[in-house]
Amino acid sequence: MNDKWKRRFIELAKHISAWSKDPSTQVGAVIVRPDKTIASVGFNGFPRGVDDRPEKLADRPLKYQMIVHAEINAILSSRESLAGCSIFVYPFHPCSQCAAAIIQSGITRVYTLEGAPEWWSSNFTVAHGMFQEAGITIEKVAQP
Protein backbone atom coordinates (compact mmCIF):
# COMPACT_ATOMS: atom_id res chain seq x y z
CA MET A 1 0.00 0.00 0.00
CA ASN A 2 1.48 3.35 -0.96
CA ASP A 3 1.90 6.34 1.36
CA LYS A 4 -1.08 8.20 -0.11
CA TRP A 5 -3.47 5.40 0.90
CA LYS A 6 -1.84 5.00 4.31
CA ARG A 7 -2.32 8.71 5.02
CA ARG A 8 -5.95 8.54 3.86
CA PHE A 9 -6.77 5.66 6.19
CA ILE A 10 -4.93 7.09 9.20
CA GLU A 11 -6.76 10.40 8.60
CA LEU A 12 -10.04 8.48 8.50
CA ALA A 13 -9.14 6.77 11.79
CA LYS A 14 -8.43 10.23 13.23
CA HIS A 15 -11.83 11.47 12.03
CA ILE A 16 -13.58 8.44 13.52
CA SER A 17 -11.76 8.90 16.85
CA ALA A 18 -13.70 12.16 17.28
CA TRP A 19 -16.93 10.12 17.49
CA SER A 20 -15.83 8.85 20.92
CA LYS A 21 -17.49 10.56 23.87
CA ASP A 22 -14.51 9.81 26.13
CA PRO A 23 -13.36 13.22 27.40
CA SER A 24 -9.74 12.17 27.93
CA THR A 25 -8.84 9.71 25.17
CA GLN A 26 -10.37 9.37 21.72
CA VAL A 27 -9.20 6.49 19.56
CA GLY A 28 -10.34 5.46 16.09
CA ALA A 29 -9.73 2.31 14.05
CA VAL A 30 -10.31 1.47 10.40
CA ILE A 31 -10.06 -2.07 9.07
CA VAL A 32 -9.14 -2.19 5.39
CA ARG A 33 -9.43 -5.08 2.97
CA PRO A 34 -6.50 -5.93 0.66
CA ASP A 35 -8.29 -4.12 -2.21
CA LYS A 36 -8.24 -0.85 -0.17
CA THR A 37 -11.96 -0.88 0.65
CA ILE A 38 -13.22 -0.44 4.20
CA ALA A 39 -14.35 -3.55 6.05
CA SER A 40 -15.19 -1.90 9.37
CA VAL A 41 -14.58 1.09 11.66
CA GLY A 42 -14.63 1.57 15.42
CA PHE A 43 -14.01 4.08 18.17
CA ASN A 44 -13.61 3.72 21.92
CA GLY A 45 -16.78 3.86 23.95
CA PHE A 46 -19.19 1.95 26.15
CA PRO A 47 -20.99 -1.08 24.73
CA ARG A 48 -24.21 -0.49 22.80
CA GLY A 49 -27.11 0.09 25.14
CA VAL A 50 -24.92 1.16 28.07
CA ASP A 51 -25.54 4.78 29.04
CA ASP A 52 -22.45 6.91 28.44
CA ARG A 53 -23.32 9.76 30.76
CA PRO A 54 -20.49 12.26 31.38
CA GLU A 55 -20.21 11.35 35.07
CA LYS A 56 -19.55 7.70 34.14
CA LEU A 57 -16.93 8.73 31.61
CA ALA A 58 -15.29 11.02 34.19
CA ASP A 59 -14.95 8.15 36.69
CA ARG A 60 -11.68 6.64 35.38
CA PRO A 61 -11.74 3.37 37.38
CA LEU A 62 -15.32 2.69 36.26
CA LYS A 63 -14.66 3.83 32.68
CA TYR A 64 -11.63 1.53 32.35
CA GLN A 65 -13.77 -1.45 33.37
CA MET A 66 -16.55 -0.60 30.89
CA ILE A 67 -14.91 0.93 27.81
CA VAL A 68 -14.57 -1.05 24.59
CA HIS A 69 -11.45 -0.05 22.67
CA ALA A 70 -11.68 1.17 19.07
CA GLU A 71 -9.86 -1.86 17.66
CA ILE A 72 -12.20 -4.31 19.41
CA ASN A 73 -15.25 -2.31 18.30
CA ALA A 74 -14.04 -2.40 14.70
CA ILE A 75 -13.43 -6.16 14.85
CA LEU A 76 -16.80 -6.85 16.51
CA SER A 77 -18.64 -4.61 14.05
CA SER A 78 -17.26 -6.44 11.03
CA ARG A 79 -19.59 -8.90 9.37
CA GLU A 80 -16.91 -10.78 7.42
CA SER A 81 -13.64 -12.58 7.82
CA LEU A 82 -10.80 -10.14 8.45
CA ALA A 83 -8.07 -12.54 7.35
CA GLY A 84 -5.47 -10.63 5.37
CA CYS A 85 -6.89 -7.19 6.25
CA SER A 86 -5.00 -4.22 7.70
CA ILE A 87 -5.99 -2.06 10.66
CA PHE A 88 -5.23 1.65 10.99
CA VAL A 89 -5.31 2.96 14.57
CA TYR A 90 -5.20 6.61 15.64
CA PRO A 91 -3.53 7.98 17.75
CA PHE A 92 -1.93 5.07 19.67
CA HIS A 93 -0.39 1.68 19.10
CA PRO A 94 -2.91 -1.04 20.08
CA CYS A 95 -2.76 -2.29 23.69
CA SER A 96 -1.98 -5.94 24.48
CA GLN A 97 -5.67 -6.95 24.71
CA CYS A 98 -6.42 -5.34 21.34
CA ALA A 99 -3.26 -6.95 19.92
CA ALA A 100 -4.60 -10.35 20.97
CA ALA A 101 -7.93 -9.67 19.23
CA ILE A 102 -6.17 -8.36 16.11
CA ILE A 103 -4.02 -11.47 15.94
CA GLN A 104 -7.00 -13.80 16.51
CA SER A 105 -9.08 -12.02 13.84
CA GLY A 106 -6.52 -12.72 11.10
CA ILE A 107 -5.53 -9.10 10.48
CA THR A 108 -1.98 -9.12 9.13
CA ARG A 109 -0.88 -5.45 9.18
CA VAL A 110 -1.14 -2.73 11.80
CA TYR A 111 -0.61 0.93 10.93
CA THR A 112 -0.33 3.54 13.65
CA LEU A 113 1.49 6.75 14.58
CA GLU A 114 4.84 7.21 16.26
CA GLY A 115 4.84 7.67 20.00
CA ALA A 116 2.70 6.56 22.88
CA PRO A 117 1.53 8.03 26.17
CA GLU A 118 3.99 7.30 28.97
CA TRP A 119 1.44 5.44 31.10
CA TRP A 120 0.80 2.86 28.33
CA SER A 121 4.37 2.34 27.12
CA SER A 122 5.01 -0.99 28.90
CA ASN A 123 1.68 -2.37 27.63
CA PHE A 124 2.47 -1.23 24.08
CA THR A 125 5.85 -2.96 24.35
CA VAL A 126 4.09 -6.22 25.22
CA ALA A 127 1.64 -5.74 22.33
CA HIS A 128 4.47 -5.00 19.92
CA GLY A 129 6.20 -8.22 20.98
CA MET A 130 2.97 -10.17 20.47
CA PHE A 131 2.65 -8.77 16.95
CA GLN A 132 6.24 -9.67 16.12
CA GLU A 133 5.88 -13.20 17.45
CA ALA A 134 2.63 -13.72 15.49
CA GLY A 135 4.17 -12.38 12.26
CA ILE A 136 2.01 -9.24 12.13
CA THR A 137 3.59 -6.34 10.24
CA ILE A 138 3.59 -3.05 12.17
CA GLU A 139 4.19 0.18 10.34
CA LYS A 140 4.34 3.75 11.57
CA VAL A 141 2.50 6.37 9.51
CA ALA A 142 3.31 10.07 9.45
CA GLN A 143 1.09 12.30 11.60
CA PRO A 144 -1.93 13.50 9.56
Side-chain angles (χ1 to χ4, degrees), residues 2 20 26 31 35 45 49 51 58 66 69 72 80 113 118 134 139 144:
N2 68 38
S20 172
Q26 296 181 320
I31 300 175
D35 68 355
D51 192 8
M66 296 175 67
H69 289 187
I72 302 291
E80 63 189 80
L113 302 179
E118 182 79 22
E139 188 172 328

Side-chain angles (χ1 to χ4, degrees), residues 45-66:
F46 289 167
R48 289 183 188 107
V50 175
D51 192 8
D52 54 6
R53 293 188 316 266
E55 61 272 14
K56 283 171 129 177
L57 288 163
D59 181 344
R60 280 187 182 265
L62 177 63
K63 176 179 77 171
Y64 287 156
Q65 293 180 61
M66 296 175 67

